[in-house]
Amino acid sequence: MTPQRSIAALVIVLLSVGCVLSQHPRVPITPCNGNPMTGKVLEVRVSNCNNNFPCILKRGSQATIEFDYIPAQDTNRVTTGATARLGAVPLPFVGTNNQPACSRITSKQSRQSTGCNLRAGEVYTYSNTFPILQIYPVTNVLVQWELNDGNRQKITCFTIPARIV
């Protein structure tokens, strides 16, 4: 490959990565209160957040959350916990909360589906696109997202400020 083609290929790759990151920017998170996590969250990305907080979740649309994490223990069962806290009241995201997470988990390195056969110390990516239903109230909420193992221990748990509009 000539030097010009190598540079052109590098520019295309960098532009592609930039486009992906701009669609799902990195989001600052707060660990959940209560039970400690057994894993570690590395990075969280949310569609349409655009580094403006709270993140805007538009009713009648869809949002995508994606995060990289490392489980501390092997597991073969993972469920999603997804709620929007309105004050002290957790409102579940319909169709997402308490659902199996296996089909949404990939290896960070290979980007291949791993199902729920997670190994301690490996890096995984969880990705989920979910509806923001019209029935949700227009308000500020604290979105809590967690992955739980077969023993109901939190592998990951974090919160993100959001506004449903």
Side-chain angles (χ1 to χ4, degrees):
M1 183 178 274
T2 67
Q4 292 85 2
R5 284 191 179 177
S6 295
I7 291 171
L10 178 60
V11 168
I12 290 170
V13 168
L14 291 175
L15 287 173
S16 298
V17 168
C19 287
V20 168
L21 291 177
S22 69
Q23 290 175 352
H24 301 294
R26 183 181 295 184
V27 175
I29 60 167
T30 303
C32 296
N33 293 326
N35 296 336
M37 295 183 295
T38 61
K40 180 180 179 182
V41 178
L42 301 176
E43 181 178 304
V44 176
R45 298 167 298 278
V46 178
S47 62
N48 301 321
C49 212
N50 301 327
N51 293 322
N52 296 320
F53 303 101
C55 294
I56 302 299
L57 303 176
K58 186 176 178 186
R59 295 184 309 159
S61 71
Q62 294 188 341
T64 299
I65 186 166
E66 186 174 90
F67 58 89
D68 304 326
Y69 67 99
I70 302 172
Q73 302 168 1
D74 291 356
T75 188
N76 61 7
R77 184 167 180 245
V78 182
T79 57
T80 301
T83 59
R85 292 196 168 276
L86 184 57
V89 179
L91 303 171
F93 280 106
V94 177
T96 300
N97 191 52
N98 291 325
Q99 296 299 307
C102 305
S103 65
R104 304 180 187 291
I105 300 171
T106 59
S107 164
K108 174 73 173 174
Q109 184 176 12
S110 71
R111 298 185 184 200
Q112 299 295 315
S113 177
T114 60
C116 279
N117 295 316
L118 306 185
R119 301 290 166 241
E122 297 288 324
V123 181
Y124 297 95
T125 299
Y126 170 91
S127 182
N128 191 345
T129 298
F130 58 99
I132 308 302
L133 300 178
Q134 289 287 354
I135 63 170
Y136 295 161
V138 173
T139 188
N140 287 321
V141 294
L142 192 60
V143 174
Q144 179 170 312
W145 209 277
E146 60 191 61
L147 293 181
N148 299 300
D149 67 15
N151 297 319
R152 294 191 167 195
Q153 290 186 311
K154 290 179 179 14
I155 300 169
T156 64
C157 188
F158 55 87
T159 61
I160 301 169
R163 176 152 181 79
I164 299 175
V165 297

